[in-house]
Amino acid sequence: MPQPSVLAALAAGLHSGAIEVVDLTSPLSSSTPVIQLPPEFGQTAVFELEEISRYDDRGPAWYWNNFRSGEHTGTHFDAPVHWVTGKDRADVASVPARRLIAPAAVLDFSAAAAKDPDFLVEVDHIKAWEADNGPLPDGGWMLVRTGWDARSHSQEAFVNADENGPHTPGLSPDCARWVAQESPVIGLGVETVGTDAGRAHAFDPAFPCHSYLMGSDKYGLTQLQNLAALPPTGAVVVAGPLPIVTGSGAPARVLALVER
């Protein structure tokens, strides 16, 4: 008997449940939290639906909507052109499709973030994880679990801002540079509203994850959920942003394939 093909084995695993599909996407609605910039800057739009027809005189047999949304609203994909350091690089429609399916490493810092919402991942944290789990995947994603998805029901809790600005976990500037310039991954995924920590506006450089990642032709995935359901290694991420021509990013349905 010939051996089954790789794709046939994958299909069989999905059908049998041996491969679980974990949805890492935050549902998109008018209550989805959005980033808040200082008032002098332009602001991203809250997601809105506009009904076109719903089995009525506007369309008796069909229901559909128009929608309005920022590119970076909800679970979304950051393309290199999103930041000034990547202004001459790819828009979201130009990201090669083969890079949208890649292995993932999941680094769990939820306990540290629960104690300190301003917790920053350092290079030494990643090195310690690699000592226990092996190297970060070449051409894969580094997903940072902080438990922040538990706050996604509330704009206030998710942004977690006070008079000094937002307080959310992220990467230190040196760690962001290392991930972008020295690590083998193609991008960073987080549970927070953006890839940078809440205090990153005051870092040097400001917003280092955006600055270093986009400038290095790497990507970001934000507002992920259910990272707790993934193993430290072995999952495969399927990231499907809308291919918006000239777009700096797009809402995305992000799935993980996990062998059980």
Side-chain angles (χ1 to χ4, degrees):
M1 294 288 291
Q3 293 295 313
S5 72
V6 173
L7 287 179
L10 173 62
L14 291 168
H15 181 72
S16 70
I19 298 174
E20 180 184 2
V21 180
V22 180
D23 197 343
L24 306 183
T25 315
S26 175
L28 193 55
S29 73
S30 60
S31 62
T32 297
V34 296
I35 195 168
Q36 294 175 322
L37 299 180
E40 63 267 27
F41 297 118
Q43 306 294 324
T44 192
V46 173
F47 182 83
E48 298 177 2
L49 278 182
E50 175 195 14
E51 188 174 279
I52 302 172
S53 69
R54 193 179 182 103
Y55 326 120
D56 52 28
D57 56 0
R58 299 169 298 171
W62 52 91
Y63 164 57
W64 57 342
N65 302 285
N66 293 318
F67 69 85
R68 179 175 186 266
S69 177
E71 295 173 326
H72 300 267
T73 296
T75 303
H76 64 269
F77 188 102
D78 290 347
V81 76
H82 175 43
W83 212 251
V84 65
T85 52
K87 64 184 179 67
D88 297 320
R89 296 187 181 274
D91 66 10
V92 70
S94 302
V95 175
R98 60 180 174 77
R99 302 193 85 183
L100 300 177
I101 304 174
V106 182
L107 285 64
D108 185 358
F109 301 108
S110 56
K115 295 177 182 177
D116 178 10
D118 289 319
F119 170 77
L120 298 178
V121 180
E122 302 286 356
V123 176
D124 285 348
H125 292 126
I126 300 175
K127 295 293 187 182
W129 183 92
E130 288 184 311
D132 292 334
N133 299 280
L136 294 174
D138 190 3
W141 289 93
M142 188 180 93
L143 307 181
V144 175
R145 182 182 172 227
T146 56
W148 215 255
D149 57 339
R151 296 169 173 255
S152 63
H153 64 284
S154 164
Q155 171 78 23
E156 182 179 7
F158 199 68
V159 175
N160 196 37
D162 60 17
E163 65 277 6
N164 298 313
H167 298 274
T168 60
L171 273 58
S172 74
D174 185 58
C175 186
R177 184 203 61 76
W178 184 89
V179 170
Q181 298 179 0
E182 298 186 37
S183 85
V185 300
I186 60 169
L188 170 69
V190 299
E191 297 169 325
T192 47
V193 72
T195 53
D196 273 294
R199 295 182 295 147
H201 62 282
F203 292 173
D204 184 16
F207 305 104
C209 286
H210 283 82
S211 182
Y212 288 128
L213 285 168
M214 308 294 98
S216 299
D217 201 28
K218 294 189 176 184
Y219 312 123
L221 287 174
T222 75
Q223 288 182 249
L224 299 174
Q225 296 201 338
N226 301 320
L227 293 185
L230 305 187
T233 64
V236 173
V237 166
V238 182
L242 298 173
I244 302 170
V245 176
T246 76
S248 71
R253 188 72 180 264
V254 183
L255 308 174
L257 306 181
V258 181
E259 190 171 0
R260 297 303 188 188

